[in-house]
Amino acid sequence: MRKAPSLALLCIQALKLELLQGGNPVPDVYELPSELLDAVVARLPALALHNFQTHMPFKRCDDYESGGDDCLISGRKRARNDVLASSWKGLFKLRWPEHTNLVEPPPAEWRQLYWEKHLQDCVDEAAEAAMRPTFCGRIGSISVSGKYKILRYICHEEHTSCRQQCVCTELSFHLQTFGPYLRCLRLLNALCVTETCELLRTSRLQTLVLRWIRSEKHVEPLCKLLIQSRETLASLEFIHCKLSSSFISAICASLHGKDIHTSGIQRFCIKTSSIDMDPLAAPSAFISFLSSVRSLRSLHICDSHLDRHIARIVFSTLLDSSSDLSYLDLSENNVSGWLSTFSWRSVNGSLSSGKSLESLCKLNLRGNELDKYDAENLAHALLHMPVLESLDLSGNPIEDGGIRCVLKVPAFVVLKSTSAELHFSYMLVVRCRSLISYFTKNPNSLLADLNLENCELSCCGVIEFLDTLSTLEKTLKFLSVADNALGSEVAEAIISSLTVSIESLNISGIGLGPVGFVELGEKLVKGVKKLLSINISKNRGGVETGRFLSKLIPMAPKLVSVDASYNLMPPESLLMLCDALRSAKGDLKRLDMTGNSCISLEAGHSSSLLGEFQHSGEPIFLLPSSSASHVPYDDEP
Ligand SMILES: *[C@@H]1O[C@H](CO)[C@@H](O)[C@H](O)[C@H]1NC(C)=O
Ligand SMILES: *[C@@H]1O[C@H](CO)[C@@H](O)[C@H](O)[C@H]1NC(C)=O
Ligand SMILES: *[C@@H]1O[C@H](CO)[C@@H](O)[C@H](O)[C@H]1NC(C)=O
Ligand SMILES: *[C@@H]1O[C@H](CO)[C@@H](O)[C@H](O)[C@H]1NC(C)=O
């Protein structure tokens, strides 16, 4: 027989329904004894909790968590805020369990996060409806009660009565009611219409991401939204969009309006889109956006068919700009040749007074078809980026000529040693710029992170480069030369660079082979005190990989992570590494052994290894799963 519900439960139920209907609860409710009130709060669905909190008399105490000091805090009110915050957190985690490893916000922000994410779900569902060819209604009347069961989440089991009695099935209700909580929004083309701007009037957008905007008809509504959000908007992103000259012009004009200094935009990003702009007639609004928006900190134009002409305009405009740009990302385009005029300007000694490059910390040029001439020009440009810390040149065919000077003429010059020819050779030497000369001429450079992955480098270039680094006192912390065919000869230079300052080295896929690992082991005589992580995967080192590692691990006291995957290591390597780990006093957290054949140990043995070697409760070894143990004994496809 079912137990009859208690009187308290019945009261809570009645209160819940009242709150769901948006009613202003009798003020006495808030005077209920603490335990009872807490019990009420803990059982309220989101919409009811929202109404409860909105009508709560001690409004000013909402600010308590964020430090509002004009709030008269009694222990009771403070406790109430804690209960409310933990209710919001509970509701959030219940609804989006997949997001539970998100960085914990301050307790008072769970409510905001809840409604922000809720609105994104509503908007996504509405966009699906609006994209159907048969759709012809108002955006605001789109029902959000369908697929995502949104009402069941915000009204709980009362959602049927909720549906009958309130307008909360419609998108407009949600945007208007919870709009003030909306700071970030992703919008699909179908919703980029004037009505959406009206519906978003109460929100204070800081981040706006637009997707699939490809038709001119969306431009005007978008500009309207930008103008409306101008005071708060800090980040704007376009993905899968088609941006014509006039489109870009309209966007930039909306961002800063008449008074260019009022824009607060900090991050402008175009990704996986296409830009269709005549380099001879780049829109002036775009130029003035780049050159005058002081707040701009990061600019990304990635994978968007950016060519050298536009890249040159962007770059030279930034040179003259008054912003404090710190991150420039032009990755995955084709800008080869873009800096050829830059050298001209600096050779003439007429560099502008702009300070954008002076503040640049991070430059990403991955995958841009850059060749050795581009690299040379870049090395020159680097001199004008005094605080650059990170440079990504990966995936560009710069070859050895991109990192060192190759002078083929001197022999010819000496043969004919007239004074004029000698002068000529002197000029050549002076003008030779390269990454190597950048380091030797700038011993105080802040550049700490350099990615030269897959740059068609050979062992000659890399040996010279590493040897140069080893002579400098202060140099790179993170270096990747992965995926260049360097071979075993590079081993000695690698060890000498490790003993200097490198903290993280990526030499995955450089063709070391067993010989390379033997060399590495032989040259390793001094401790490598700074090394934190090393990636030696895909080098087909076989048993020598394990031998090298068991020598390295005890000599690298700070080593935290090793990736030794896909090295054709046989089972005995694992035993060797176990011995090394037992004797080392290090801090190793992770040793990746996947893609090797060490698993042919009996299953029982490998689980006891996982048990013996742990760091903060996590196994240190990442072993190949037994089902994968019959994968080919090789890393080649
Ligand atoms: C990159 O651009 C250059 C010059 O604009 C052109 O010659 C080259 O074919 C382009 N490369 C690719 C892969 O598109
Ligand atoms: C740099 O100097 C050369 C020759 O002196 C001149 O032809 C060129 O126009 C100058 N470039 C700039 C950007 O001033
Ligand atoms: C090392 O290089 C590989 C291959 O280019 C890359 O996928 C990986 O992310 C890099 N790892 C580190 C730690 O830099
Ligand atoms: C090491 O490089 C490989 C690619 O060669 C990459 O897949 C892996 O993620 C890298 N390891 C780490 C720890 O970054």
Side-chain angles (χ1 to χ4, degrees):
M1 203 180 86
R2 270 186 64 184
K3 230 176 102 191
S6 72
L7 188 57
L9 267 182
L10 284 175
C11 293
I12 291 175
Q13 193 63 19
L15 192 60
K16 210 166 19 173
L17 284 176
E18 192 180 329
L19 282 165
L20 280 176
Q21 283 149 31
N24 193 345
V26 247
D28 291 350
V29 168
Y30 296 101
E31 297 303 327
L32 284 175
S34 280
E35 304 83 37
L36 201 52
L37 194 52
D38 292 350
V40 172
V41 166
R43 283 178 174 75
L44 293 181
L47 182 56
L49 186 63
H50 173 79
N51 289 335
F52 174 88
Q53 199 168 355
T54 307
H55 296 298
M56 191 164 70
F58 320 115
K59 262 263 172 70
R60 284 149 71 201
C61 286
D62 278 0
D63 289 339
Y64 170 66
E65 298 288 349
S66 50
D69 57 8
D70 57 351
C71 176
L72 299 166
I73 305 141
S74 71
R76 184 179 157 168
K77 290 169 195 167
R78 186 191 311 184
R80 173 90 342 100
N81 278 337
D82 288 348
V83 172
L84 285 169
S86 78
S87 281
W88 283 115
K89 178 174 167 178
L91 288 169
F92 187 100
K93 298 202 161 181
L94 183 73
R95 183 161 169 192
W96 296 286
E98 71 279 14
H99 283 260
T100 41
N101 45 5
L102 127 161
V103 188
E104 285 266 323
E109 280 186 21
W110 282 107
R111 184 191 196 187
Q112 189 268 328
L113 281 184
Y114 185 93
W115 291 122
E116 183 170 271
K117 187 136 179 51
H118 165 75
L119 285 184
Q120 186 67 58
D121 282 3
C122 293
V123 165
D124 289 345
E125 181 158 0
E128 273 179 36
M131 274 188 304
R132 288 189 201 115
T134 51
F135 175 79
C136 62
R138 288 166 44 82
I139 299 282
S141 332
I142 294 178
S143 162
V144 296
S145 58
K147 186 171 143 199
Y148 295 131
K149 311 197 166 57
I150 283 171
L151 289 191
R152 213 180 62 198
Y153 279 112
I154 68 168
C155 308
H156 289 184
E157 69 274 22
E158 291 81 7
H159 70 282
T160 35
S161 65
C162 198
R163 191 193 293 249
Q164 284 153 11
Q165 309 200 7
C166 78
V167 286
C168 65
T169 55
E170 293 190 355
L171 180 65
S172 58
F173 166 81
H174 295 265
L175 286 177
Q176 279 155 3
T177 314
F178 310 117
Y181 296 96
L182 193 61
R183 290 187 273 182
C184 305
L185 179 65
R186 291 187 313 271
L187 210 55
L188 216 54
N189 53 1
L191 290 193
C192 200
V193 295
T194 312
E195 197 195 337
T196 311
C197 305
E198 303 297 333
L199 292 170
L200 287 172
R201 240 175 221 297
T202 56
S203 58
R204 298 177 62 76
L205 288 177
Q206 295 172 8
T207 300
L208 180 59
V209 180
L210 297 148
R211 291 197 282 186
W212 296 103
I213 310 270
R214 318 196 119 221
S215 137
E216 296 288 328
K217 73 176 181 212
H218 294 125
V219 177
E220 200 188 310
L222 172 59
C223 290
K224 217 169 155 193
L225 182 58
L226 293 178
I227 291 170
Q228 174 178 315
S229 317
R230 200 145 70 190
E231 270 179 38
T232 48
L233 197 66
S235 168
L236 180 61
E237 187 169 324
F238 296 88
I239 306 179
H240 299 301
C241 294
K242 200 165 148 190
L243 303 161
S244 66
S245 247
S246 61
F247 188 174
I248 292 189
S249 183
I251 296 163
C252 292
S254 318
L255 282 176
H256 57 64
K258 280 202 188 69
D259 179 6
I260 207 141
H261 301 306
T262 56
S263 172
I265 202 88
Q266 295 174 16
R267 182 173 175 276
F268 185 78
C269 175
I270 300 174
K271 259 189 208 160
T272 320
S273 296
S274 69
I275 299 179
D276 177 17
M277 197 192 281
D278 177 0
L280 295 177
S284 62
F286 178 58
I287 302 289
S288 71
F289 171 76
L290 288 183
S291 65
S292 329
V293 172
R294 294 233 174 109
S295 52
L296 195 64
R297 294 292 172 273
S298 76
L299 176 66
H300 310 248
I301 307 181
C302 316
D303 188 16
S304 296
H305 310 287
L306 189 73
D307 67 14
R308 59 180 158 164
H309 304 290
I310 314 265
R312 182 179 297 159
I313 293 174
V314 169
F315 195 74
S316 58
T317 308
L318 289 175
L319 257 182
D320 293 322
S321 154
S322 53
S323 71
D324 286 324
L325 195 71
S326 89
Y327 185 12
L328 177 61
D329 179 357
L330 302 179
S331 56
E332 312 294 343
N333 293 296
N334 176 2
V335 304
S336 182
W338 68 310
L339 285 179
S340 50
T341 50
F342 177 81
S343 323
W344 256 125
R345 294 176 61 159
S346 37
V347 165
N348 285 14
S350 63
L351 257 187
S352 75
S353 55
K355 54 176 188 151
S356 269
L357 293 183
E358 283 181 18
S359 52
L360 199 64
C361 294
K362 199 169 169 190
L363 178 60
N364 187 349
L365 296 170
R366 168 186 274 270
N368 258 302
E369 310 284 334
L370 302 181
D371 60 20
K372 58 185 172 192
Y373 303 108
D374 294 308
E376 187 187 323
N377 286 327
L378 180 67
H380 202 156
L382 289 181
L383 299 177
H384 303 283
M385 304 174 190
V387 299
L388 192 71
E389 289 170 7
S390 161
L391 175 62
D392 190 342
L393 283 176
S394 59
N396 288 295
I398 61 170
E399 304 175 335
D400 286 356
I403 56 175
R404 60 177 187 158
C405 298
V406 194
L407 284 181
K408 299 195 185 80
V409 265
F412 164 76
V413 171
V414 173
L415 269 179
K416 296 180 95 180
S417 74
T418 68
S419 64
E421 292 291 351
L422 273 177
H423 180 65
F424 179 59
S425 117
Y426 173 70
M427 290 288 290
L428 270 178
V429 173
V430 168
R431 289 220 33 216
C432 171
R433 300 279 183 191
S434 66
L435 274 177
I436 290 183
S437 67
Y438 167 77
F439 281 105
T440 51
K441 288 182 186 153
N442 291 278
N444 295 320
S445 148
L446 299 180
L447 190 57
D449 181 355
L450 179 62
N451 190 340
L452 294 173
E453 259 160 58
N454 187 17
C455 284
E456 299 183 14
L457 303 175
S458 84
C459 69
C460 302
V462 172
I463 289 174
E464 191 178 328
F465 182 65
L466 293 176
D467 285 348
T468 309
L469 291 185
S470 330
T471 61
L472 302 174
E473 251 170 60
K474 185 170 134 296
T475 159
L476 295 175
K477 289 191 178 142
F478 308 93
L479 174 65
S480 177
V481 288
D483 292 335
N484 291 289
L486 306 178
S488 57
E489 295 98 292
V490 78
E492 181 171 3
I494 286 176
I495 293 296
S496 42
S497 71
L498 280 187
T499 39
V500 189
S501 69
I502 290 188
E503 291 173 14
S504 166
L505 182 68
N506 192 343
I507 46 173
S508 164
I510 60 167
L512 283 172
V515 181
F517 280 102
V518 171
E519 278 284 292
L520 283 178
E522 278 172 5
K523 302 296 174 201
L524 184 67
V525 285
K526 276 203 292 190
V528 283
K529 299 210 174 60
K530 291 187 178 154
L531 189 65
L532 299 174
S533 82
I534 188 165
N535 190 339
I536 52 172
S537 62
K538 301 185 183 161
N539 272 302
R540 311 166 132 240
V543 69
E544 296 301 339
T545 311
R547 224 166 255 156
F548 164 67
L549 278 181
S550 41
K551 185 162 181 197
L552 175 73
I553 290 169
M555 291 173 84
K558 286 196 182 161
L559 192 60
V560 174
S561 148
V562 175
D563 188 339
S565 55
Y566 298 94
N567 263 306
L568 311 179
M569 273 194 269
E572 59 263 35
S573 296
L574 190 56
L575 301 175
M576 207 187 280
L577 289 170
C578 292
D579 286 341
L581 277 180
R582 281 192 196 100
S583 65
K585 302 264 174 298
D587 207 19
L588 198 63
K589 284 196 178 117
R590 173 117 297 202
L591 178 44
D592 190 340
M593 299 287 284
T594 51
N596 293 296
S597 50
C598 26
I599 200 64
S600 28
L601 299 166
E602 323 83 77
H605 195 162
S606 74
S607 66
S608 83
L609 280 185
L610 295 181
E612 180 181 350
F613 298 101
Q614 295 207 337
H615 189 286
S616 337
E618 293 286 320
I620 292 178
F621 284 110
L622 198 61
L623 294 175
S625 65
S626 24
S627 61
S629 63
H630 54 269
V631 292
Y633 182 60
D634 203 322
D635 58 342
E636 298 287 80

